[in-house]
Amino acid sequence: METDDIRRQVAFAAAETGLAARFGIPADALIPLLFSLRYGGAWSYASENITAVSAVKKTTVYDDESRTGYSLEEIYLFVNPVLLHREGTVRRLEKCGEAPARLLVARPYRVRLGAERIIRMTVNPLAREIRTEELDIAEMAFSGSTAYDIDHELEHLAGREIAGEELWVFRFG
């Protein structure tokens, strides 16, 4: 590994570490947010004192004329989240962790989530910039993929396994 690469990685890790002090929250509460940034997807974390869920909302910005674009990611961290409302039912395939195959599950189409704190990290690949801010709100609503991910992570926090039917219930047509 080149020296410049090591320097960039150390600086990046230091910036990540600085987020806990900046927002005045325990460093472990940031694990879902940082995992979403590094590995993608939604994550959850629970300790005796705090719970946290991250969720990712993606928006693709595309210019037809130049035929170029980018996907802007908004990663939300909910500290001590509470599910306030679920609406609708969407059947979908999901796989979690070391499960051998995906399961057919039912998820809400919309969720409304409350939290003690909500932090938004906006990742702009075009500008190569990550902006992080605390939102001055106590709840948010999501639909579609982001809602499914939140519901899935709340199951983890509740200590429940993902419930659904095995892939083998499908038939080839």
Side-chain angles (χ1 to χ4, degrees):
M1 183 178 289
E2 296 294 320
T3 304
D4 286 344
D5 290 336
I6 293 170
R7 280 191 196 109
R8 280 192 289 273
Q9 288 182 19
V10 168
F12 192 87
E16 286 179 323
T17 303
L19 291 174
R22 178 176 159 200
F23 293 110
I25 61 175
D28 54 346
L30 288 171
I31 290 171
L33 180 73
L34 298 177
F35 274 27
S36 289
L37 175 63
R38 285 180 176 246
Y39 310 115
W43 295 84
S44 55
Y45 172 82
S47 71
E48 289 181 17
N49 304 319
I50 201 162
T51 59
V53 166
S54 65
V56 182
K57 181 180 171 187
K58 295 181 183 181
T59 305
T60 299
V61 179
Y62 185 76
D63 178 49
D64 282 316
E65 190 173 308
S66 68
R67 295 184 182 182
T68 60
Y70 62 96
S71 289
L72 185 75
E73 291 188 8
E74 292 175 300
I75 306 170
Y76 294 91
L77 177 70
F78 300 92
V79 178
N80 294 326
V82 177
L83 180 64
L84 301 174
H85 182 73
R86 298 171 92 214
E87 179 184 316
T89 303
V90 174
R91 306 234 183 273
R92 65 189 306 264
L93 289 169
E94 285 184 10
K95 183 178 179 306
C96 183
E98 300 299 319
R102 296 192 296 170
L103 296 175
L104 175 62
V105 300
R107 292 282 178 216
Y109 179 69
R110 287 188 184 94
V111 296
R112 190 163 37 94
L113 194 63
E116 288 178 14
R117 315 255 313 260
I118 302 174
I119 295 171
R120 177 176 58 202
M121 177 179 279
T122 304
V123 183
N124 184 326
L126 187 63
R128 293 190 173 123
E129 184 175 61
I130 302 168
R131 291 181 182 253
T132 310
E133 63 187 328
E134 184 163 358
L135 302 181
D136 192 24
I137 55 176
E139 62 183 64
M140 291 185 74
F142 296 93
S143 60
S145 266
T146 308
Y148 316 146
D149 292 344
I150 289 169
D151 194 62
H152 177 111
E153 293 307 322
L154 290 174
E155 278 184 340
H156 286 304
L157 289 181
R160 294 191 313 266
E161 291 294 320
I162 306 307
E165 296 180 83
E166 293 179 338
L167 184 61
W168 331 130
V169 301
F170 283 77
R171 64 185 180 284
F172 286 91

